[in-house]
Every structure is written in C-alpha cells, then in structure tokens.
Amino acid sequence: MQIRLETIGRPRKGYSILELMACVLSRTLKDGTTVGTGAGSAVARAACRLAQLTHAPNLNYLAGGSGAVNPLLDPLVDSSCDYTNYICESVVTMSDVIGSIPSGTTDLFFCGGLQIDRYGNVNLSVIGDYNKPRLRGPGSAALPLMAGARHFIIFMTDHSPRSFVEKVDFRTAPGFLEGGESWRLAKAQGLIGGEGPLLVISPLAVLDFEEESKTMRLLSVHPGKTVEEVVAATGFSLMVPEHVPETIPPSPEELQFLRSFDTDGILS
C-alpha cells in the first residue's frame, strides 16, 4: 500500500501529546518482532503501524480486541474491537491472542491502566474496595498473564497522584511485585517467566525502572514539562537522575506518516 507523505484532512499545527506518545512508543519497536495491543489501544496501534511505515517493515502486531493481524488502520479508530481493524492481513482467535503472551510468541505487549505503582503493577479492575468499589474498570482479560510476557510497555493517559499511586488498589497485571528482592525470588522459584515492564509513558514523561530496586525512574520529560511537574504529579517517591533529558519530539516524517492513517484525528 502506497502512503502519500502529506497531511490528510484538516490542517494540524505542531503535535498533540497523544501523537508524541505514539511516536515515542514506535521508536521502541524492533523490526522482525511481534507486538500485542489491548482493546482501548489507539495510541499503541498507531505506534505499531508507524513503526511498520518507518523503521520496522517486518514488525507484526495483533489488535487484541479483534484478533486482527497487521491492520492497516484505514483509518485509525479508538478501539481494537472495531470492525475497521479487519482491514488486515489475517485474523486469529481470541484464545490465540491471549495464549501468545505467556507462550513467548509475542515479544512485547502494550497495556494501560487506571492505576500504576512504583514497581509497575497495573490496576485495570477497581478503584477502592473490591467488593464496594468507587469505580469499576474493564477488568483483567489477559493482563494477569503479563508477567509471563517477554516485555511489556505501560501507557497511561493520565499522570496524577490518583493514577500514579503508592500501591494499586488491585493488582490486575503484575509488574515487579514489591520490588527487586520479591521479583528475584519469584524468578528463582519459576513463578515469573518474562522480564517485567520495560517502560512507562504518560502525558508528562517517559519512565523506566532502576535495575536493582525495580523502582520507577524518570527517563525523560516531554517538551514543555518539567521534572518538578512530574514529581508533583506522582503519588510516590520517584527516582530522579541528576540529569533528565527532554523527550525527543515527533519528526516531520513521523507526523506525516501518523496522520496519513489517523485521518479522523483520533490522536489530536
């Protein structure tokens, strides 16, 4: 399919935070790998398609909600459950999508959440007491299997003390459990098959995890944001290196490719 390098639809100046997040995620993807995305994953699916059109033409990705393999995103839609995703190369069953995570056939999986804590544990189930929650989320689907994935990346559409919390109200997807020692013990006992969360990206910053303690660490701040702003928006003590660079913004080429399939401005 030939993609024209021009902006389609209404003119857009600069870039949005969601476009920045999609570009940053796209750069992490490697050619020849297989990537999985969840149901409400427009940013993650856009990142995968952008990677295919730029530096990773042999990347394969699954739109988890539909089982679509390499959807063309013609156009990009909010949910991977949308029938538009069936403009794709092939379709697999939901059991195959879920089974690809612990089996190791998926190299990397994207997931989001209502809450995340300092060790990358994700809550997509309930806010408050499980039996009498203040808010009930979409639930687990394949997220409890995330510990078995080779790698996974967490994308959060909100960065505030209510979403970046000291301890998640419910552990839907296990990250590094209670930190380095608990993670290493679980690995030694054979309870954890994968390598844990690789990155976290939010509207404010890109974060990773310190190698020994497995505590969340600030990696870069997005243009126009500050370290102080990120720290204030985080509900736990964030590890902050002495030098924190600025996140590299989208290039003109990345934006042109991104907008060639995001014709409805889902990421605007």
Side-chain angles (χ1 to χ4, degrees):
M1 180 180 179
Q2 184 69 33
I3 299 293
R4 291 175 299 149
L5 280 179
E6 60 183 50
T7 301
I8 302 174
R10 69 183 188 278
R12 284 181 259 170
K13 296 181 179 180
Y15 56 86
S16 72
I17 286 295
L18 293 182
E19 287 178 323
L20 170 65
M21 291 171 67
C23 290
V24 172
L25 293 176
S26 176
R27 296 168 196 154
T28 69
L29 303 180
K30 298 179 180 180
D31 198 25
T33 58
T34 299
V35 180
T37 69
S41 57
V43 172
R45 281 177 292 116
C48 293
R49 185 67 181 130
L50 178 60
Q52 288 179 329
L53 294 171
T54 52
H55 65 278
N58 300 303
L59 177 138
N60 292 301
Y61 77 102
L62 306 174
S66 61
V69 179
N70 294 331
L72 295 179
L73 306 188
D74 189 20
L76 176 68
V77 288
D78 283 312
S79 172
S80 67
C81 302
D82 193 289
Y83 284 113
T84 304
N85 291 285
Y86 287 128
I87 305 173
C88 62
E89 292 183 4
S90 63
V91 178
V92 299
T93 66
M94 186 56 60
S95 60
D96 285 335
V97 173
I98 294 175
S100 72
I101 300 173
S103 69
T105 55
T106 297
D107 298 290
L108 184 143
F109 204 93
F110 287 112
C111 73
L114 300 172
Q115 295 177 323
I116 184 173
D117 65 24
R118 68 171 72 237
Y119 300 121
N121 300 298
V122 175
N123 173 19
L124 197 59
S125 299
V126 296
I127 300 296
D129 181 80
Y130 184 81
N131 296 310
K132 294 182 179 180
R134 300 194 304 276
L135 174 68
R136 188 173 295 280
S140 59
L143 290 189
L145 303 175
M146 207 59 64
R150 291 182 183 176
H151 294 288
F152 64 98
I153 292 177
I154 304 161
F155 61 95
M156 302 288 289
T157 55
D158 175 65
H159 193 144
S160 68
R162 69 180 181 181
S163 55
F164 282 67
V165 298
E166 183 68 38
K167 186 175 182 180
V168 292
D169 292 342
F170 186 90
R171 186 187 290 166
T172 311
F176 289 116
L177 305 178
E178 280 77 42
E181 287 304 317
S182 67
W183 173 257
R184 284 185 282 274
L185 178 61
K187 292 281 284 185
Q189 293 177 340
L191 300 179
I192 303 294
E195 298 302 321
L198 184 65
L199 290 174
V200 179
I201 185 167
S202 81
L204 299 181
V206 182
L207 310 104
D208 66 356
F209 297 88
E210 194 274 329
E211 293 76 11
E212 290 299 317
S213 66
K214 302 300 184 184
T215 297
M216 195 180 298
R217 174 175 60 187
L218 186 56
L219 195 61
S220 70
V221 295
H222 299 336
K225 309 300 180 182
T226 66
V227 171
E228 293 74 20
E229 188 176 353
V230 177
V231 170
T234 305
F236 52 84
S237 179
L238 185 64
M239 186 172 289
V240 180
E242 183 176 349
H243 173 67
V244 180
E246 185 176 81
T247 306
I248 299 173
S251 69
E253 181 187 47
E254 287 175 320
L255 287 176
Q256 287 177 318
F257 274 123
L258 194 60
R259 293 170 182 177
S260 71
F261 58 81
D262 184 22
T263 54
D264 292 335
I266 297 294
L267 304 181
S268 293

